[in-house]
Amino acid sequence: MSTATMTAPATATATKAKPRVFSGIQPSGALHLGNYLGAIKRWVAEQDQNDNSFCIVDLHAITVPQDAAALHEATRELAAVFFASGLDPDRVSVFVQSHVSAHAELAWILNCFTPMGWLERMTQFKDKAAREGTERASTGLFAYPALMAADILLYDTDLVPVGDDQKQHIELTRDVAERMNTRYGKDLFVLPRPHISTTGARIMSLAEPTRKMSKSEPEGSLELLAPTDVNRRKIMRAVTDSGREIRFDESRPGLFNLLEMYQLLSGQAREEIEQEFAGKGYGDLKKALAERVIETLRPIQERYNELRANPDHLEALIRRGADRIAPRAQATLKRVQTAVGLG
Ligand code: ATP
Ligand code: LTN
């Protein structure tokens, strides 16, 4: 027996000091307050509790057409926003998906274990393909969830912090992992769980408050790097109803969204906010919200500009993230390749 086969195989259930957390974000379009409140801010707040990895998913971005230079630029922009928002490169691995080739390699294997019927049911695919038309939508767009499953499973991830729009993809990740665990042994993959907060999980568009704030809809979005007066103007013009009373009332989606943002930014309780605006009008709330947004974004924008002024340093930070994380990814990939009979 060779030494390689005598060594105990690494398993997905090896003891871990802290829960492993992994999340990804696409470098496409300008980051907005929904991304910040629904994702980045929470990642920063929890960076000590867990063993965290945050990935800039450029391979996911090319599932729809991208301009090459713009994609490269957006990847750096996103990395700089992460660090500027408070993610500490000494405590958290921030890295670029395409810098760790195991993502694409595991994704291929997972593709081969993912029935097309499962992918056809994904609402994100249905929405995006409906916009493009299935004749033009890429195979990559269809297989997007298998690549996302690879991202998550490579790091024996326990928790995946995401907005609720991504829940279905995590379910699919678990289904594929369970399917392979049933066939190859329960130690192949750790089953991840979504980590979704109830407030801040879904910030809505300012222009159309029944739709979520989204990178693909800049009119309704408060961009993290936008000039102060642009964001102020968007808030002042935000769609509300014709009512007067300022209350957390879900049947008034425009107002509710403004209040929810205010709550998340101020850290105040709902009752306290309702008292603060008792007898006041929507204009007062909008002004106060604009100030909160501007105060939150000012230091982030300042740190961002510093980071962008030194591109070599930024590059070194993201390469460091990839170097730190790659051995873990490689170990999982090897485990899966061996299980499946590759190599
Ligand atoms: P797209 O317009 O391409 O759908 P997006 O703005 O939804 O982009 P993603 O890259 O899909 O951004 O999401 C990055 C992270 O931000 C994910 O965790 C996602 O759930 C979260 N997120 C995105 N939009 C919102 C929102 N409006 N409210 C709360 N969280 C959000
Ligand atoms: N599909 C996600 C981005 C994403 C992700 C991931 C999130 C890619 N890989 C792994 C969590 C874990 C999105 O569009 N928000």
Side-chain angles (χ1 to χ4, degrees):
M1 199 187 258
S2 75
T3 41
T5 48
M6 278 185 331
T7 358
T11 69
T13 46
T15 335
K16 293 178 226 159
K18 290 177 178 176
R20 293 236 178 120
V21 171
F22 181 98
S23 198
I25 193 159
Q26 294 199 46
S28 48
L31 281 183
H32 50 74
L33 201 70
N35 299 133
Y36 180 71
L37 294 175
I40 304 169
K41 189 177 176 207
R42 298 173 56 202
W43 302 351
V44 172
E46 293 170 7
Q47 59 186 334
D48 273 332
Q49 268 154 260
N50 305 312
D51 179 346
N52 291 305
S53 306
F54 298 116
C55 182
I56 300 169
V57 293
D58 55 349
L59 296 173
H60 278 111
I62 62 164
T63 57
V64 295
Q66 299 288 343
D67 173 79
L71 175 63
H72 192 268
E73 171 68 14
T75 301
R76 272 76 201 159
E77 179 179 308
L78 190 47
V81 170
F82 279 173
F83 295 126
S85 303
L87 287 179
D88 174 357
D90 290 328
R91 286 183 284 170
V92 174
S93 301
V94 171
F95 70 105
V96 178
Q97 192 183 29
S98 65
H99 292 177
V100 180
S101 61
H103 288 252
E105 293 175 76
L106 181 61
W108 177 258
I109 298 174
L110 298 182
N111 272 330
C112 299
F113 288 85
T114 309
M116 285 173 65
W118 293 4
L119 296 173
E120 275 163 3
R121 284 197 282 276
M122 295 294 109
T123 54
Q124 181 173 299
F125 171 73
K126 286 197 272 190
D127 291 351
K128 290 198 180 176
R131 264 180 258 155
E132 292 249 330
T134 35
E135 204 45 50
R136 291 182 51 207
S138 72
T139 313
L141 187 65
F142 186 60
Y144 179 115
L147 175 60
M148 181 161 161
D151 299 341
I152 297 168
L153 297 175
L154 270 178
Y155 301 102
D156 297 336
T157 302
D158 300 297
L159 292 172
V160 188
V162 280
D164 61 0
D165 59 316
Q166 294 299 312
K167 226 166 145 180
Q168 199 186 25
H169 288 159
I170 315 242
E171 288 304 321
L172 182 126
T173 301
R174 288 175 63 91
D175 290 345
V176 179
E178 273 184 313
R179 186 174 226 239
M180 291 186 73
N181 282 0
T182 304
R183 174 139 179 208
Y184 298 108
K186 66 175 177 34
D187 282 341
L188 189 64
F189 289 126
V190 168
L191 296 185
R193 281 181 292 122
H195 181 40
I196 294 167
S197 82
T198 41
T199 43
R202 209 171 169 81
I203 302 296
M204 309 311 278
S205 157
L206 294 180
E208 246 181 286
T210 49
R211 299 169 61 131
K212 78 173 187 121
M213 189 177 284
S214 155
K215 294 192 211 117
S216 32
E217 225 197 312
E219 327 78 67
S221 145
L222 292 170
E223 295 176 3
L224 299 183
L225 300 175
T228 301
D229 51 330
V230 172
N231 278 340
R232 195 193 305 275
R233 213 174 318 128
K234 281 188 183 167
I235 294 173
M236 295 314 290
R237 287 209 206 121
V239 170
T240 44
D241 53 74
S242 56
R244 311 206 106 253
E245 202 192 351
I246 297 187
R247 258 191 314 114
F248 280 85
D249 175 356
E250 289 193 51
S251 68
R252 295 151 76 194
L255 174 65
F256 187 82
N257 189 38
L258 297 178
L259 283 169
E260 201 171 37
M261 281 189 264
Y262 193 83
Q263 182 188 0
L264 287 163
L265 292 169
S266 70
Q268 287 168 269
R270 288 187 172 186
E271 306 71 54
E272 220 180 307
I273 296 171
E274 286 176 349
Q275 268 165 27
E276 182 177 335
F277 291 102
K280 296 191 179 159
Y282 289 179
D284 299 302
L285 171 64
K286 287 178 172 179
K287 264 191 223 145
L289 176 63
E291 285 318 308
R292 293 278 180 184
V293 170
I294 289 159
E295 259 171 54
T296 304
L297 298 187
R298 186 178 295 119
I300 296 177
Q301 294 186 352
E302 281 169 11
R303 284 194 295 269
Y304 174 84
N305 290 331
E306 283 164 27
L307 282 155
R308 293 311 303 267
N310 190 346
D312 291 346
H313 176 61
L314 182 63
E315 208 60 32
L317 290 180
I318 51 179
R319 293 289 170 175
R320 170 142 62 101
D323 290 345
R324 185 161 52 200
I325 206 89
R328 274 189 194 172
Q330 210 48 48
T332 310
L333 179 63
K334 184 87 194 84
R335 190 169 77 222
V336 179
Q337 286 171 333
T338 304
V340 171
L342 298 172

